[in-house]
Amino acid sequence: MSADSATSIAETLALHPLLVQLLFLRGITSPGEIRAFLEPDYLTGVHDPFLFDDMSRAVDRIIQARFGAERITIYGDYDVDGLSSSALLFDFLSLIGCDVGTHINHRERDGYGLNATAIHSIIESGTRLIITTDGGISNAAEIAIAQGRNVDVIITDHHTVPKDPANIPNAFAILHPLVRADRYPFKELSGGGVAFKFVQALVKYSGNKEFSDLKTSVRNPDGSPINWEGYEKWLLDLVCLSTIGDCVPLRGENRIFVKYGLLVLSKTRRIGLQKLLGISGQMNKKATARTVGFVIGPRLNAASRMDHAQPAFDLLIAVQEDHAETLAQYLNEKNIERQRLTERITQEATALLADALSLKQCTLVAIGDGWPISVLGLVAGKLCNTHNRPVVLLSAGEGRIAGAGRSPDSFHLANAFSALSELFVRHGGHRNAGGFQLASSVTPLDFAKRFEEFALLTKVESSDEVQIADAQPWDIEVSLFDCDETLLRAIQLLEPFGQNNPEPILRIRNACLKDVRCVGVSQRHARVVLEQNGVIKQGIAFSLGNACSRIPVGTGVDCLVALEENSWNGISQCQLTIKKISPCEA
């Protein structure tokens, strides 16, 4: 789209012209698309859950279990998405009086997905219905075990579907946006999003009088009847956690869930989340995507990375204040341990990848002896962000070699693992994240060679794939004069930021570095003053203290910045957050 088109639409919609340029870069170009993106509407934008083919079947099975007093077990994944999904379903099923329990895998001992030992144990405990959350679509064999013992399984999942239809599980019902959901218009829900659609269907369903009477009879703690429409919306804090935590695209229905979910999270009724926000210094503050991504999510995930996810799940469903406080403190301590471990392994992996970086390989693969598998994905993500190419880290220990990877949008990691499936005992993931266990006959060197060959072949076949670039991407070029509160307010209309809707990065060229002052612990950060054509602005450069201090004052510099709101003592102002700074190119 041309600059003239952007200007015309900006005038028509009374929007900042630079905002319209940013929307165009995101592929949002028509006035209708722009309005829908900037003004997400829960009433008109959230789809009918019964558009899933198996939804009515799944709802009927819950009603049968409730009135038949059948034991239900929620089989959940151990990450934020799985925990939120499990808590969401547990919340509703408990409320309507179901006999419901949960099983959450141990990240390292059990791995991702269903396992046969757990299935047998769950059935032996008396369970007659298993509901998976954030998993199950790749577990045909394990689900066959349950079905063979006359235990039904309802899958709620969103992960990559097996390419061979014969490998799709023969479950009682499948709720998945890409399986038996031809009529469902939005295909990129998180696991929590799918679980929410299930609850939403149960809330809406009125085809069974006994079930409708049951919902009418359910009471709040104060004895008042439940407003089910309001109840549904109060669940959006969990949907928001799962959607941001699992890095699904923040478009369409996901954007609506996060937009409204952040409002719910800011005043959440969940005592556990209140305590976690309090211990993190975020209570009574407006919740943002950053609150989820950098405060809540890491602490919930820390439980499974350092031990078992159960305390994180217990926090999400906690009802007693003292218990919630204890759990929040525990998760905070585990997150501190996780940060230290992640930093150590990042340093070790960086040293091991030096040769691959010097050779400009398409992919980066390293193996460590005894690296905890639980943090490999985090470290791979940090290295992927730094080097903008697929990163896979492997760990040898306990008689097996397992790995975790992260990739930029230009490379579909789960598809790569599927193409190399003969190398693995098991594998799975998304476009940007995945994991596996190597077959015993396969060495890490075998994997690294085949993975690099696949990436090179993909690069040749599609110029859009595997783009190796050390330069940090940016959106539009602006002047210091443009960087004011008006542009900040315009950019804030794009929030919440996340996958497929990143925070805009602005390029400023040929500004003069007027002053530098290192601040913070070990002088890691820097406050800078920039001047351009008589306009002077201050900025903060996190973790760039050394880089900034090496540039002489008076030097012309090029910067990549984000515009952010800085609030202090009740006063808010526009702040330049500097992502990269360097002397101007000659």
Side-chain angles (χ1 to χ4, degrees):
M1 302 290 277
S2 68
D4 289 343
S5 297
T7 301
S8 175
I9 289 178
E11 291 175 351
T12 300
L13 299 180
L15 296 173
H16 197 296
L18 293 180
L19 171 61
V20 176
Q21 287 187 41
L22 291 168
L23 288 163
F24 276 22
L25 289 172
R26 285 158 171 73
I28 304 165
T29 57
S30 73
E33 291 172 328
I34 289 172
R35 286 194 185 96
F37 187 82
L38 297 181
E39 302 171 8
D41 189 322
Y42 189 86
L43 291 177
T44 61
V46 174
H47 307 300
D48 181 356
F50 287 98
L51 293 175
F52 284 87
D53 294 356
D54 280 0
M55 187 62 80
S56 292
R57 184 171 169 82
V59 167
D60 288 342
R61 187 64 184 87
I62 293 295
I63 295 171
Q64 176 188 330
R66 167 60 180 84
F67 291 110
E70 295 180 82
R71 175 71 172 172
I72 302 171
T73 295
I74 299 168
Y75 195 126
D77 193 21
Y78 43 70
D79 67 2
V80 170
D81 192 8
L83 295 169
S84 301
S85 308
S86 299
L88 194 153
L89 278 171
F90 185 87
D91 189 318
F92 176 81
L93 295 177
S94 300
L95 189 62
I96 63 171
C98 289
D99 177 11
V100 58
T102 57
H103 172 88
I104 299 170
N105 277 352
H106 187 283
R107 187 187 285 260
E108 294 205 18
R109 288 198 301 267
D110 303 323
Y112 169 75
L114 283 61
N115 66 65
T117 301
I119 293 292
H120 283 299
S121 177
I122 289 168
I123 294 172
E124 292 300 326
S125 73
T127 290
R128 306 308 305 160
L129 172 63
I130 297 172
I131 306 173
T132 74
T133 60
D134 193 33
I137 199 63
S138 297
N139 292 112
E142 292 79 8
I143 289 172
I145 291 172
Q147 303 285 55
R149 296 188 63 178
N150 296 317
V151 172
D152 291 330
V153 180
I154 297 173
I155 295 173
T156 72
D157 195 5
H158 71 124
H159 286 88
T160 302
V161 180
K163 288 187 176 181
D164 185 349
N167 292 329
I168 294 176
N170 184 29
F172 181 87
I174 297 178
L175 304 180
H176 189 300
L178 297 174
V179 181
R180 302 181 197 168
D182 291 345
R183 296 178 299 147
Y184 199 80
F186 187 70
K187 303 300 184 182
E188 296 179 305
L189 293 169
S190 66
V194 178
F196 176 73
K197 303 308 294 189
F198 193 10
V199 172
Q200 190 181 41
L202 287 159
V203 167
K204 288 178 178 292
Y205 185 69
S206 59
N208 180 295
K209 184 178 186 303
E210 191 176 11
F211 186 60
S212 296
D213 289 345
L214 169 66
K215 287 189 292 184
T216 301
S217 69
V218 177
R219 291 291 185 267
N220 290 305
D222 63 3
S224 62
I226 286 186
N227 176 344
W228 286 105
E229 182 179 345
Y231 169 83
E232 175 185 310
K233 291 179 180 177
W234 277 107
L235 294 175
L236 290 174
D237 54 358
L238 293 177
V239 185
C240 174
L241 292 186
S242 81
T243 303
I244 295 175
D246 218 48
C247 297
V248 291
L250 294 193
R251 301 289 182 92
E253 204 167 14
N254 286 341
R255 180 169 170 81
I256 294 171
F257 287 155
V258 172
K259 186 87 171 182
Y260 286 85
L262 289 173
L263 296 175
V264 175
L265 185 60
S266 295
K267 49 188 177 181
T268 181
R269 294 175 174 177
R270 299 181 194 282
I271 188 68
L273 287 179
Q274 291 174 11
K275 295 299 183 183
L276 197 62
L277 289 166
I279 208 167
S280 309
Q282 298 296 311
M283 193 61 188
N284 298 320
K285 292 185 179 180
K286 178 184 176 183
T288 67
R290 189 178 293 272
T291 309
V292 176
F294 293 92
V295 177
I296 299 174
R299 287 167 172 80
L300 292 177
N301 276 330
S304 65
R305 295 191 193 283
M306 305 308 295
D307 191 358
H308 195 283
Q310 192 65 45
F313 175 79
D314 291 343
L315 178 109
L316 292 178
I317 65 168
V319 294
Q320 295 181 349
E321 190 164 343
D322 289 349
H323 186 215
E325 180 76 35
T326 299
L327 290 169
Q329 290 176 351
Y330 171 83
L331 294 178
N332 196 56
E333 290 166 2
K334 288 298 177 183
N335 190 52
I336 293 170
E337 292 178 27
R338 189 273 310 166
Q339 289 172 323
R340 292 170 180 160
L341 181 62
T342 302
E343 183 58 33
R344 175 176 68 80
I345 295 176
T346 300
Q347 293 174 3
E348 293 175 8
T350 299
L352 292 172
L353 292 171
D355 288 344
L357 286 167
S358 66
L359 293 172
K360 299 291 185 181
Q361 289 184 192
C362 283
T363 60
L364 301 175
V365 179
I367 181 168
D369 186 14
W371 281 347
I373 298 167
S374 58
V375 298
L376 292 190
L378 286 178
V379 177
K382 292 179 69 172
L383 295 171
C384 174
N385 290 338
T386 300
H387 302 294
N388 196 34
R389 69 199 76 185
V391 177
V392 174
L393 302 179
L394 302 98
S395 176
E398 299 182 0
R400 62 175 181 148
I401 298 175
R406 296 292 185 269
S407 68
D409 285 339
S410 58
F411 185 80
H412 198 302
L413 194 62
N415 285 352
F417 290 168
S418 293
L420 304 174
S421 60
E422 72 275 11
L423 303 179
F424 311 124
V425 174
R426 60 175 180 263
H427 66 89
H430 305 290
R431 182 180 194 90
N432 302 104
F436 56 80
Q437 179 182 333
L438 284 184
S440 58
S441 60
V442 178
T443 69
L445 186 60
D446 293 334
F447 167 76
K449 182 180 178 181
R450 292 284 303 279
F451 190 53
E452 177 71 7
E453 288 172 352
F454 178 85
L456 286 169
L457 179 63
T458 307
K459 183 180 180 183
V460 169
E461 292 178 348
S462 172
S463 59
D464 293 332
E465 294 284 338
V466 199
Q467 301 168 10
I468 299 175
D470 292 321
Q472 186 169 347
W474 49 275
D475 291 280
I476 56 176
E477 186 169 321
V478 299
S479 68
L480 275 183
F481 178 80
D482 295 320
C483 298
D484 57 11
E485 188 168 337
T486 301
L487 179 56
L488 170 64
R489 298 300 174 213
I491 288 175
Q492 287 176 332
L493 295 175
L494 296 173
E495 294 179 349
F497 300 127
Q499 193 73 15
N500 283 32
N501 183 39
E503 182 178 29
I505 301 298
L506 313 177
R507 185 183 186 188
I508 299 171
R509 287 202 292 178
N510 200 25
C512 179
L513 183 63
K514 300 291 288 185
D515 189 34
V516 177
R517 180 163 55 91
C518 291
V519 297
V521 178
S522 303
Q523 306 288 283
R524 290 182 63 233
H525 316 306
R527 293 197 177 277
V528 302
V529 178
L530 300 174
E531 185 270 334
Q532 185 185 57
N533 298 327
V535 176
I536 297 175
K537 299 281 185 181
Q538 296 188 23
I540 181 74
F542 294 111
S543 302
L544 293 176
N546 288 337
C548 292
S549 61
R550 288 197 296 266
I551 303 174
V553 170
T555 301
V557 293
D558 294 336
C559 303
L560 299 182
V561 309
L563 279 195
E564 297 178 353
E565 186 170 5
N566 180 35
S567 297
W568 182 256
N569 288 335
I571 299 175
S572 296
Q573 59 183 4
C574 178
Q575 172 180 277
L576 299 180
T577 300
I578 297 172
K579 305 294 185 178
K580 184 176 181 180
I581 184 168
S582 59
C584 294
E585 297 179 3

